[in-house]
Amino acid sequence: MDYRELISKFAESCGIDGSQIFDEYGVASIMADATTLSFVELPSTRQIVTLAPVADKPADDGGRLYEALLEAHYLGRLTEGAAFSLSPEGQIVLYRRDALAELDVAAFAEVVEGFLNLVDEWRGVIGAYRPDAPRTVEEPPPEGDGNFHFIQV
């Protein structure tokens, strides 16, 4: 199954019109609870990247937090193989890569559910390092925005 077909069928299994979730670059975005999940295809490796913001970049240097995130990366032991990055918009993002060849809609739904749980878990961990900073909870986009659709997982 190719990327667009997988994402479209997954969206449809959640009650979303799968033909309406892709932007002009092929990135698909949906809202799951209060989290924006984005999906990106890496055609050269036949992988799909699932990503979500977990927190805003710390206002200070974030030394202790970044150290904890790097330690969690070590062999993927605390991230279940996912990784953290800093987006150009200044958000700490959690992402994972999966081989498209190994996924059908049911398997992908399990990946997404596990990933959402991991995002929630890490939001709590990051909040413990930054008790003064609010957790990143995104406001749903305005009604009628064709790039976002809501699912309940």
Side-chain angles (χ1 to χ4, degrees):
M1 185 175 313
D2 73 11
Y3 165 73
R4 282 187 178 263
E5 182 182 8
L6 175 67
I7 298 298
S8 294
K9 286 184 177 183
F10 169 71
E12 289 166 8
S13 75
C14 299
I16 298 168
D17 180 358
S19 67
Q20 301 297 314
I21 63 173
F22 297 96
D23 69 12
E24 65 271 20
Y25 305 104
V27 176
S29 297
I30 60 174
M31 290 293 293
D33 299 325
T35 300
T36 299
L37 283 175
S38 295
F39 308 101
V40 179
E41 179 184 24
L42 300 177
S44 62
T45 59
R46 298 255 318 124
Q47 292 181 317
I48 184 170
V49 178
T50 303
L51 62 141
V54 291
D56 293 327
K57 178 181 173 183
D60 61 7
D61 72 359
R64 283 182 4 140
L65 173 60
Y66 292 139
E67 182 179 334
L69 296 178
L70 286 172
E71 287 176 0
H73 273 262
Y74 184 67
L75 303 177
R77 65 185 177 89
L78 298 177
T79 61
E80 299 176 18
F84 291 99
S85 65
L86 190 60
S87 75
E89 297 80 26
Q91 292 184 307
I92 298 171
V93 175
L94 185 65
Y95 72 93
R96 66 175 284 148
R97 293 179 181 200
D98 293 283
L100 275 168
E102 298 173 6
L103 296 173
D104 60 14
V105 175
F108 188 63
E110 288 180 23
V111 165
V112 170
E113 182 177 1
F115 184 76
L116 282 170
N117 290 336
L118 194 60
V119 166
D120 286 341
E121 191 176 309
W122 276 101
R123 283 182 173 163
V125 169
I126 290 170
Y129 279 88
R130 300 176 51 210
D132 58 318
R135 288 175 43 178
T136 298
V137 177
E138 301 171 6
E139 292 295 320
E143 285 294 316
D145 183 336
N147 290 327
F148 289 93
H149 299 275
F150 297 89
I151 62 170
Q152 189 71 29
V153 179

